[in-house]
Amino acid sequence: IGIEPCSLSARCTIELPAGWKMLTEHFSTHGKEDIGEASVQLAAEPDGKQLFVRHLLLASDRVPPESLDGFRSLLKVFAEDRVVIERE
């Protein structure tokens, strides 16, 4: 697989409307492989808003066949994005 070295980041602030609550527990996950690294975090900010951040860093312009499993592992980490809220 040919890819360009890259870094992808997404940052989202979640402000819940009145009468709603966050069901998802705060979490942080990180994966590191020979081809790069990925991380995802959901945390509370001091003002009570929720912060969701994800990063994917690929250090090479090619993923050799022997690194495909590690690459897939990084994509699984990067894809973690389940945030659940409900009415109180």
Side-chain angles (χ1 to χ4, degrees):
I1 298 173
I3 56 174
E4 294 294 322
C6 70
S7 175
L8 301 173
S9 295
R11 181 183 174 101
C12 176
T13 301
I14 303 168
E15 185 174 356
L16 296 176
W20 287 79
K21 65 180 179 179
M22 177 75 65
L23 292 183
T24 304
E25 296 286 327
H26 295 135
F27 67 91
S28 180
T29 185
H30 181 263
K32 187 169 184 171
E33 300 287 339
D34 62 334
I35 194 65
E37 57 186 288
S39 64
V40 178
Q41 179 183 25
L42 175 66
E45 293 188 310
D47 62 4
K49 296 177 185 172
Q50 307 299 310
L51 179 64
F52 182 77
V53 181
R54 74 167 94 196
H55 298 286
L56 176 64
L57 173 63
L58 301 176
S60 176
D61 62 350
R62 297 225 180 256
V63 179
E66 61 272 12
S67 296
L68 283 176
D69 286 341
F71 182 62
R72 287 185 192 108
S73 176
L74 294 179
L75 292 179
K76 286 181 183 177
V77 170
F78 188 71
E80 178 63 46
D81 65 357
R82 183 181 55 209
V83 175
V84 181
I85 62 173
E86 77 173 5
R87 285 188 188 268
E88 292 184 296

